[in-house]
Amino acid sequence: MKQAYVFGIYKALQKYDISTGVPFIIFKEHYVKNEIDKYISTMRQGYSVHSVDEYRTLRKAMALYAKYEYKFDDETITIIAAEIGKSVKDTKEIIRAGIDSTHYTDFYRKYADEDGESTYRDIWLYLCNRIK
């Protein structure tokens, strides 16, 4: 995830145009989020997501699953299936895969860096200092 974050910053740096007046910190969020989403969607086990639309469906299904208090009964799954436009069988598979994919590290959470590599905050501070 650190590499995806850095790659998102790198892409943003390549495409950033200071003359637009948009602060870089806001501009880069789009690229960073896309790179992290791509990483998560391709590195998960189980449910294979082949497109951005499928990944959005997965995210919507998981948001609804949380909204309905993480219930996995037939009634709740039927409601979620109707809202995402999928069959009950497919919705169960999507939610199971979503549960599996929740085991990734929340990149925006503050955490201790146990592997000795720079955290995204270190990288971000370095880049901000170079831009100034």
Side-chain angles (χ1 to χ4, degrees), residues 64-79:
L64 291 167
Y65 178 61
K67 175 184 171 183
Y68 294 114
E69 300 176 352
Y70 304 99
K71 294 179 184 171
F72 202 76
D73 58 78
D74 288 337
E75 181 181 342
T76 304
I77 298 300
T78 302
I79 293 168

Side-chain angles (χ1 to χ4, degrees), residues 99-114:
I99 291 168
D100 288 342
S101 73
T102 59
H103 299 287
Y104 66 85
T105 302
D106 180 358
F107 204 78
Y108 296 100
R109 174 182 90 193
K110 186 175 182 176
Y111 63 94
D113 186 25
E114 298 174 2

Side-chain angles (χ1 to χ4, degrees), residues 5 9 24-25 28 120-128:
Y5 191 90
I9 292 173
F24 179 76
I25 196 162
K28 65 98 182 158
Y120 82 99
R121 293 175 201 276
D122 298 332
I123 295 164
W124 180 243
L125 287 172
Y126 171 77
L127 290 172
C128 284

Side-chain angles (χ1 to χ4, degrees), residues 6-124:
V6 171
F7 191 62
I9 292 173
Y10 175 73
K11 279 187 169 180
L13 283 169
Q14 288 180 322
K15 299 188 185 272
Y16 184 66
D17 180 4
I18 198 165
S19 67
T20 63
V22 176
F24 179 76
I25 196 162
I26 294 169
F27 181 82
K28 65 98 182 158
E29 284 302 313
H30 169 74
Y31 289 94
V32 167
K33 183 180 179 320
N34 283 347
E35 290 304 314
I36 290 173
D37 284 349
K38 277 193 242 177
Y39 173 80
I40 292 167
S41 69
T42 58
M43 298 319 244
R44 292 188 343 266
Q45 299 294 323
Y47 187 73
S48 179
V49 178
H50 300 287
S51 71
V52 173
D53 289 335
E54 287 181 34
Y55 188 60
R56 284 188 188 123
T57 300
L58 170 67
R59 291 178 62 188
K60 183 176 181 180
M62 293 310 293
L64 291 167
Y65 178 61
K67 175 184 171 183
Y68 294 114
E69 300 176 352
Y70 304 99
K71 294 179 184 171
F72 202 76
D73 58 78
D74 288 337
E75 181 181 342
T76 304
I77 298 300
T78 302
I79 293 168
I80 294 171
E83 289 192 46
I84 64 171
K86 299 286 184 182
S87 70
V88 170
K89 179 184 175 199
D90 288 347
T91 301
K92 285 182 179 181
E93 182 182 343
I94 290 167
I95 291 173
R96 283 188 186 114
I99 291 168
D100 288 342
S101 73
T102 59
H103 299 287
Y104 66 85
T105 302
D106 180 358
F107 204 78
Y108 296 100
R109 174 182 90 193
K110 186 175 182 176
Y111 63 94
D113 186 25
E114 298 174 2
D115 62 3
E117 295 181 19
S118 297
T119 64
Y120 82 99
R121 293 175 201 276
D122 298 332
I123 295 164
W124 180 243

